[in-house]
Amino acid sequence: MSELNLILLGPPGAGKGTQAAHLVDDFGLPYIATGDILRAAVKDGTALGKKAKEYMDAGDLVPDDVIVGVVAERLEQGDTRDGFVLDGFPRTIPQAEALDRSLEAMGRRLTAVLLIEVPDDVLVQRISGRRICTDGHVYHVDFNPPEQDDVCDVDGNALEQRPDDAPEKVKRRLEVYHEQTAPLEDYYDDLGVLQRFDGTRSPDEVREHISATLSTLRLEESA
Ligand code: AP5
């Protein structure tokens, strides 16, 4: 099997985490989400968490040098041999350049950058209704509700709202996306690996579109 080295790109609330869960199920790839790594570090009170907390609380990005090494180290682990799903990284041009260097040093390259596009007004509505369980399963009170209110279908954990999903923090996170992360769309388009998806469609439709695109890419690769 050829490698599937994937990045999920898109603004907060676009559905990256939702689609990542499908990619993990459909392709058995390890999932590397920098937001989850940082939230776990904050919760555990590690040195990384202490450095990251104030930035995350404000809706800002943590400095590049705090996160770049964490991802490089994670990509070197054996379970990424057949590919990976990166969610939330890179988020700046220097992070993308650092990732290029890491992959080059490993003799690997990106298969695709999956950009999920959603307008800001829809994002605000999605984020305000998002509920997550402590193991990271994601729901929405209207668009993807759990069977029982505030209880995770998968493991029965209580569902809660992320602290950075408060309205004023969401506004800042969207500004940060447009200023610092959106330039990556041109960066990866220029490299010929960007694939765009209409994230306003239902989660199942987005999943099918991504799946079809990846199948086509694999066919092209093996031709
Ligand atoms: P991170 O955890 O990466 O958050 P984010 O990028 O803001 O993305 P979200 O998790 O909010 O959204 P998502 O696109 O995964 O959407 P979801 O699938 O949940 O980062 C958090 C913070 O960590 C950053 O602000 C920063 O401080 C720091 N950080 C992380 N990485 C960093 C890095 N590389 N450099 C520096 N700092 C970093 O979906 C949202 C909701 O919509 C859910 O309720 C879902 O059920 C629903 N939904 C999903 N798809 C659909 C659909 N198609 N239709 C209707 N509803 C849908």
Side-chain angles (χ1 to χ4, degrees):
M1 189 180 87
S2 55
E3 286 176 30
L4 265 185
N5 299 329
L6 304 175
I7 291 175
L8 278 163
L9 184 64
K16 303 182 296 294
T18 300
Q19 295 305 324
H22 296 318
L23 287 166
V24 170
D25 285 348
D26 293 347
F27 298 97
L29 298 171
Y31 174 47
I32 305 168
T34 46
D36 290 351
I37 293 171
L38 292 168
R39 276 186 290 278
V42 169
K43 195 170 158 203
D44 294 344
T46 65
L48 172 65
K50 284 182 185 137
K51 279 186 210 157
K53 188 174 184 319
E54 63 173 297
Y55 297 100
M56 295 179 77
D57 283 351
D60 285 323
L61 299 184
V62 306
D64 291 336
D65 61 347
V66 171
I67 194 73
V68 160
V70 173
V71 174
E73 219 172 275
R74 179 65 187 86
L75 286 175
E76 281 169 10
Q77 292 178 18
D79 64 340
T80 70
R81 202 176 31 244
D82 293 331
F84 52 79
V85 182
L86 262 178
D87 171 2
F89 186 93
R91 256 180 154 95
T92 62
I93 298 283
Q95 290 183 18
E97 291 168 345
L99 177 64
D100 289 347
R101 288 192 294 274
S102 294
L103 291 176
E104 202 182 326
M106 292 190 282
R108 302 173 67 170
R109 64 185 179 80
L110 288 171
T111 311
V113 175
L114 313 174
L115 171 64
I116 306 182
E117 299 179 290
V118 179
D120 283 6
D121 54 335
V122 178
L123 294 169
V124 171
Q125 194 191 4
R126 282 200 193 164
I127 294 175
S128 60
R130 170 166 53 190
R131 299 291 179 272
I132 51 162
C133 96
T134 42
D135 282 344
H137 301 116
V138 183
Y139 299 86
H140 190 281
V141 291
D142 299 315
F143 309 136
N144 178 25
E147 279 168 22
Q148 198 185 326
D149 278 357
D150 297 327
V151 178
C152 178
D153 294 345
V154 181
D155 48 32
N157 287 333
L159 300 181
E160 46 193 43
Q161 207 166 13
R162 255 168 55 175
D164 61 346
D165 282 352
E168 69 284 4
K169 307 231 174 114
V170 172
K171 190 167 168 277
R172 176 64 191 149
R173 286 164 60 204
L174 287 171
E175 281 169 10
V176 168
Y177 180 83
H178 292 300
E179 284 164 17
Q180 299 188 51
T181 307
L184 291 176
E185 297 173 13
D186 283 344
Y187 180 90
Y188 285 120
D189 208 11
D190 290 347
L191 291 178
V193 289
L194 192 78
Q195 301 284 341
R196 295 175 184 273
F197 299 91
D198 177 358
T200 63
R201 310 299 291 267
S202 74
D204 284 345
E205 285 172 313
V206 179
R207 176 187 193 167
E208 278 162 29
H209 188 187
I210 289 178
S211 201
T213 300
L214 293 179
S215 300
T216 307
L217 283 177
R218 283 187 141 177
L219 279 177
E220 284 171 1
E221 202 176 89
S222 61

